[in-house]
Amino acid sequence: MKINWGTGIVIAFALFMSFILFFVFRVQSDSKYDNELVVEDYYKQERILQDVLNKEANAAQLDQKVKIEDTEEGILITFPEDFTPNDIKGKVSLYRPSDQKLDNELQIALSTSNHLLIPKSDLAGGRWDIITDWQYHGKSYLNKQMLNLE
């Protein structure tokens, strides 16, 4: 049987479409190529953006900024020294971009010092995005920082 040029073009298009469809179905069915949102409630968080911007502006206006450091013992979060430790309330969110299962949230509970230590034994090595959302005497603050733990 002899194939003319018209039949060849149709066969070439069919093979090309099959090739593309194969990869589309492969990517959609393989969990390695998971395409879920970065956070579960993305659209809900979008609506509260102005509140976040106000908290970040409050944090930027502080004379003594919150320090988030990687130490031998773990992640050390230091709040302003002129603030009373008992009056600082809020939460620290530890977000791991590469693995949602490692995400964690801790309540801030200071008693005698303005330091909060998160032990390294509780954390895997790699990149962590740390969000400190805290209040002091009714005023809200938000600090964000990225750390690479080893």
Side-chain angles (χ1 to χ4, degrees), residues 26 35 37 48 55 80 90 92 96 127 150:
R26 183 173 178 191
N35 55 4
L37 295 173
I48 59 171
K55 290 178 183 181
V92 176
R96 180 68 181 253
R127 178 182 167 184
E150 297 178 21

Side-chain angles (χ1 to χ4, degrees), residues 94-109:
L94 302 166
Y95 171 68
R96 180 68 181 253
S98 63
D99 190 355
Q100 186 178 18
K101 295 176 192 129
L102 296 176
D103 292 354
N104 198 359
E105 191 170 278
L106 306 166
Q107 292 299 319
I108 298 172

Side-chain angles (χ1 to χ4, degrees), residues 35-58:
N35 55 4
E36 64 185 50
L37 295 173
V38 175
V39 291
E40 289 294 324
D41 53 353
Y42 174 79
Y43 296 107
K44 180 181 173 187
Q45 288 188 5
E46 182 67 27
R47 290 186 295 206
I48 59 171
L49 180 61
Q50 187 59 47
D51 189 34
V52 169
L53 293 174
N54 292 340
K55 290 178 183 181
E56 288 177 340
N58 290 342

